[in-house]
Amino acid sequence: MQKYDYLIVGAGLFGSVFAHEATKKGKTCLVIDRRSHLGGNVYCENVDGINVHKYGAHIFHTNDKDIWDYVNQFVTFNNYINSPLSLSKGKLYNLPFNMNTFHQLWGVKTPSEAKQIIEEQIKTHGVKNPKNLEEQALSLIGKDIYETLIKEYTEKQWGKKATELPAFIIKRLPVRYTFDNNYFNDRYQGIPNGGYNKITESLLEGIETRTGVDFLKNRNELEALAKKVVYTGNIDEYYDYKFGKLEYRSLRFEHEVLDMDNYQANAVVNYNDADVPYTRILEHKHFEFGKQKHTVVTKEYPETWTPNKEAYYPVNNDENQQKYKKYKQLSLTESNVIFGGRLAEYRYYDMHQVIGSALAKTRQELNP
Ligand code: UDP
């Protein structure tokens, strides 16, 4: 019996936005997730009054006023601006690459001094058409920054040589000739007041949800419940890896409550050096200017992905993109399944892009 219009597999941002919009249009939805909670990777756990980002740092940012207005229907945002630091060979540097970084690295005080060094290095080491992350970084910012703040972090993060990674990844980071440590260039930024769960809880309010339910393990029975499926898991797993496995990068998080009020004086500190096994330490209270007597920190360890682990990042190199194209072609032939989100679209989406994708797919589906 098809009790629902949509069975939504995955209660992250894509699934929650889709469910919300479909419900608004009078459709019935059942949202399931194999985890024991809703919210996907934006889920936070409140530990003694501190919202702990259980699946890594999430900082909302967008340049798109419509998406900003959309999320502001559900929650207000604080004025947190992400300004991570990076520790490299015992020295702290500001990120993204800006006049503070250049001053810390070379002692320069003006943009023209910084530009002279960077342009010289680009001339010596850069290439015209960068084909991989290393070439892109050398062509964008030169050898010193690449070697001090990019190479080891990147190779640790992805478990691959920077020459084997796609160039676009490094273009996520701004390069700026002002003393401005804002990690993002977007107009709107912040952390939801009250935490991310407020967004997903509001999106899913009044909608039937079930946690601890694994779609692929109970496929026939679950598919029979709805006219259509919205699938937000790994696309290759959906098709039982018939064209081979796509590569992902996994993470392991070590959370710790510390009996001190301020551990590292910043929400995010990156660890560039290859001999430190984690890429960053988060101190969650600083996302919300917390004044608690204790603090919670999280170390983020990158890990090889295998099918029994959580997939966090798609590895969008040429080989994986070719494979993904086959899965995508196949997915387009499905009339009753909609694929969306970081894992089903195999894209390195930020939160605002996932919401954008979900809204576009919802419009396509509900107002054809
Ligand atoms: N990156 C780097 N050094 C840093 C931070 C980032 O080289 O200190 C590079 C690295 O390749 C990383 C990419 O920039 O994968 C994107 O970083 P971002 O902070 O956007 O990654 P996310 O927060 O999505 O993990």
Side-chain angles (χ1 to χ4, degrees):
M1 188 189 69
Q2 293 177 331
K3 191 170 163 210
Y4 305 94
D5 292 308
Y6 296 100
L7 170 72
I8 295 168
V9 181
L13 279 178
F14 190 98
S16 303
V17 167
F18 194 101
H20 183 83
E21 294 304 309
T23 305
K24 255 184 12 196
K25 292 269 179 193
K27 305 290 182 189
T28 50
C29 298
L30 170 64
V31 180
I32 60 169
D33 201 293
R34 64 180 166 197
R35 286 184 179 154
S36 61
H37 60 76
L38 304 170
N41 287 348
V42 307
Y43 173 73
C44 290
E45 190 178 297
N46 193 290
V47 178
D48 301 331
I50 297 174
N51 284 314
V52 174
H53 297 213
K54 288 296 275 188
Y55 303 99
H58 283 80
I59 299 112
F60 196 88
H61 59 94
T62 182
N63 236 344
D64 186 327
K65 184 160 188 316
D66 290 342
I67 289 183
W68 183 242
D69 290 344
Y70 186 79
V71 287
N72 273 273
Q73 294 175 82
F74 308 110
V75 76
T76 57
F77 283 79
N78 71 12
N79 60 343
Y80 175 81
I81 298 284
N82 196 34
S83 309
L85 293 153
S86 180
L87 187 73
S88 174
K89 312 277 181 285
K91 242 189 107 170
L92 274 177
Y93 297 88
N94 286 109
L95 292 176
F97 315 123
N98 75 92
M99 281 304 295
N100 288 306
T101 331
F102 308 146
H103 175 68
Q104 289 148 354
L105 199 55
W106 303 305
V108 295
K109 297 181 187 68
T110 64
S112 60
E113 287 173 293
K115 267 189 191 148
Q116 203 186 335
I117 298 178
I118 290 171
E119 277 166 16
E120 189 58 44
Q121 293 194 3
I122 292 175
K123 225 193 281 162
T124 315
H125 303 283
V127 286
K128 278 244 149 46
N129 296 306
K131 284 182 228 35
N132 58 55
L133 196 152
E134 177 171 296
E135 290 182 1
Q136 180 67 68
L138 291 170
S139 313
L140 203 67
I141 195 71
K143 185 166 178 280
D144 285 0
I145 300 252
Y146 175 64
E147 288 182 350
T148 313
L149 296 167
I150 299 175
K151 184 175 163 42
E152 290 177 39
Y153 183 99
T154 294
E155 296 188 342
K156 167 163 69 171
Q157 155 74 12
W158 295 96
K160 281 191 187 301
K161 294 248 166 284
T163 48
E164 294 163 1
L165 288 163
F168 83 87
I169 293 177
I170 203 64
K171 289 204 244 162
R172 292 169 60 85
L173 275 55
V175 175
R176 250 187 231 129
Y177 290 93
T178 49
F179 289 97
D180 177 358
N181 299 325
N182 185 346
Y183 202 57
F184 304 113
N185 282 327
D186 290 343
R187 266 186 31 220
Y188 309 102
Q189 181 173 176
I191 301 287
N193 288 312
Y196 281 94
N197 298 1
K198 267 196 152 181
I199 301 184
T200 43
E201 280 163 12
S202 308
L203 283 166
L204 294 172
E205 201 180 312
I207 298 171
E208 198 180 330
T209 60
R210 291 185 206 165
T211 52
V213 177
D214 192 321
F215 173 74
L216 295 174
K217 288 199 181 119
N218 305 281
R219 193 167 182 156
N220 294 339
E221 185 189 316
L222 289 163
E223 271 173 352
L225 293 176
K227 294 186 190 123
K228 284 193 176 184
V229 170
V230 175
Y231 183 80
T232 72
N234 307 11
I235 190 165
D236 55 342
E237 190 182 8
Y238 181 91
Y239 286 114
D240 204 16
Y241 307 107
K242 69 185 291 178
F243 302 124
K245 286 194 184 77
L246 291 168
E247 246 180 309
Y248 304 88
R249 191 69 173 152
S250 194
L251 295 170
R252 182 169 61 83
F253 300 100
E254 254 179 29
H255 307 285
E256 213 181 334
V257 182
L258 302 177
D259 187 19
M260 60 171 79
D261 70 332
N262 193 2
Y263 172 74
Q264 62 180 18
N266 206 40
V268 185
V269 178
N270 291 358
Y271 285 74
N272 179 73
D273 300 347
D275 57 0
V276 178
Y278 40 88
T279 47
R280 48 192 171 196
I281 300 185
L282 313 179
E283 186 171 11
H284 301 271
K285 70 192 303 179
H286 296 307
F287 288 123
E288 301 184 53
F289 316 108
K291 299 276 183 283
Q292 298 84 352
K293 288 202 176 77
H294 61 289
T295 194
V296 185
V297 297
T298 299
K299 290 194 179 107
E300 229 175 275
Y301 295 82
E303 284 199 335
T304 306
W305 176 83
T306 50
N308 57 341
K309 284 193 192 161
E310 295 279 0
Y312 289 98
Y313 297 92
V315 182
N316 298 103
N317 60 15
D318 287 344
E319 195 188 329
N320 286 312
Q321 285 305 111
Q322 288 309 323
K323 225 180 266 176
Y324 169 66
K325 255 195 213 156
K326 293 189 193 164
Y327 284 114
K328 163 116 193 186
Q329 275 315 108
L330 190 56
S331 75
L332 293 173
T333 65
E334 309 271 0
S335 47
N336 292 327
V337 191
I338 295 160
F339 293 83
R342 209 186 239 216
L343 301 175
E345 294 179 67
Y346 201 62
R347 286 188 66 175
Y348 191 173
Y349 274 146
D350 290 331
M351 289 178 280
H352 64 289
Q353 294 164 322
V354 172
I355 293 172
S357 166
L359 290 173
K361 290 242 166 103
T362 322
R363 270 194 295 273
Q364 206 180 323
E365 172 72 10
L366 300 168
N367 315 307

